[in-house]
Amino acid sequence: LEEHAESHVVETYLTARWEAMFLDSRPIPEGACAVARIVWLAPIAIDAFSKLHANDQELLAREMAMTGLADQRYEISPVEGGPAFLVYYGPALLQHCDNPSDMLVALQGLAAVYRAGRRLWPEDPDSHGVTVTLEIGMLKTIEACLIPHAKADDPRSVWAMVRRSDSYGCVQLLDGESVNTMNVNGDSYWVLDTPSSFYGSTFTTTLSRERKKVTSVKPQFTKYEGCAKKERL
């Protein structure tokens, strides 16, 4: 192992895991690195990933293929630029799901986390090898079906990615007072959004729970950018 780069070791392991799971009968699809990483954490995610909005599939495929290591890239999904995101508690978010419907919602939430992170840390070719931590501990503690809804008793509450430093951001549940305070302080944040609210189209799942009638996933997140008074950090 000491003779190989870190990215090569990870890629070799992911490929071996994929082949062991599917006995070489199913090639790693487009978006290889992201799919392999997600399925390694939660095997039931493979079908849910295919049901994601195409733009979310592309987003996850690109973001999850960034190594965060200088001069290192995955051969199956070579991506330039950065910073790369380390989604802390991301595995717990997916492993908490025990059925395809919840997994689909969790993957939509994961895509929203990456999208918010990229709004706060725009991609820069010179940041290849830089890593930013996005902590989502609050999301892993709730049922996946509740991720889009924030607090039912307070429709003004929203999930938002808050930039705390140059290398750290976290998801928080913000109420109206918190949003106003952050605006006054010039804090940087981005409210999480679903595919339907972000792309402006109705997003309907094609997965069913326990073989029941397929239901639509209605948009609940709102795209909203903090009115930061500071220069971009």
Side-chain angles (χ1 to χ4, degrees):
L1 293 179
E2 63 184 16
E3 298 178 357
H4 299 285
E6 296 91 333
S7 58
H8 175 78
V9 174
V10 172
E11 185 172 1
T12 299
Y13 176 75
L14 290 175
T15 302
R17 282 279 298 177
W18 182 277
E19 293 174 350
M21 291 173 65
F22 299 109
L23 302 177
D24 295 326
S25 62
R26 187 185 306 195
I28 299 180
E30 187 175 353
C33 191
V35 177
R37 289 177 61 186
I38 290 171
V39 173
W40 168 56
L41 295 171
I44 66 171
I46 186 169
D47 291 326
F49 186 89
S50 68
K51 306 304 179 185
L52 284 172
H53 190 286
N55 294 67
D56 274 357
Q57 291 185 32
E58 294 176 5
L59 180 147
L60 290 174
R62 179 169 182 79
E63 297 293 354
M64 297 186 75
M66 291 188 179
T67 65
L69 297 169
D71 301 321
Q72 293 193 37
R73 296 156 188 79
Y74 295 116
E75 292 183 7
I76 55 176
S77 300
V79 172
E80 299 287 340
F85 294 128
L86 170 63
V87 182
Y88 199 66
Y89 291 120
L93 175 67
L94 300 184
Q95 292 171 338
H96 187 62
C97 302
D98 59 5
N99 63 75
S101 297
D102 282 353
M103 180 59 70
L104 177 58
V105 176
L107 287 176
Q108 291 172 347
L110 184 62
V113 166
Y114 276 109
R115 186 160 44 245
R118 190 53 69 198
R119 288 287 186 175
L120 297 175
W121 284 271
E123 191 169 329
D124 182 355
D126 294 333
S127 293
H128 189 96
V130 176
T131 299
V132 170
T133 298
L134 305 179
E135 192 260 298
I136 62 169
M138 292 188 69
L139 292 182
K140 79 177 181 65
T141 62
I142 63 174
E143 295 294 328
C145 61
L146 299 179
I147 292 175
H149 302 287
K151 294 177 64 176
D153 59 344
D154 185 359
R156 298 185 307 159
S157 295
V158 291
W159 291 110
M161 178 64 66
V162 181
R163 179 166 176 159
R164 292 302 185 190
S165 72
D166 287 349
S167 59
Y168 177 78
C170 62
V171 169
Q172 294 180 229
L173 186 60
L174 305 179
D175 57 17
E177 182 180 357
S178 298
V179 170
N180 287 336
T181 299
M182 295 185 71
N183 288 339
V184 170
N185 293 338
D187 296 326
S188 298
Y189 66 93
W190 187 268
V191 173
L192 306 188
D193 48 58
T194 58
S196 43
S197 63
F198 187 75
Y199 299 121
S201 60
T202 302
F203 188 79
T204 304
T205 70
T206 53
L207 294 176
S208 61
R209 174 179 292 185
E210 298 175 357
R211 299 181 180 180
K212 292 182 179 180
K213 183 177 180 180
V214 175
T215 58
S216 295
V217 179
K218 298 181 180 180
Q220 297 294 335
F221 296 130
T222 302
K223 186 175 65 164
Y224 190 95
E225 185 174 17
C227 302
K229 297 180 180 179
K230 301 176 182 177
E231 295 296 327
R232 185 173 67 82
L233 299 177

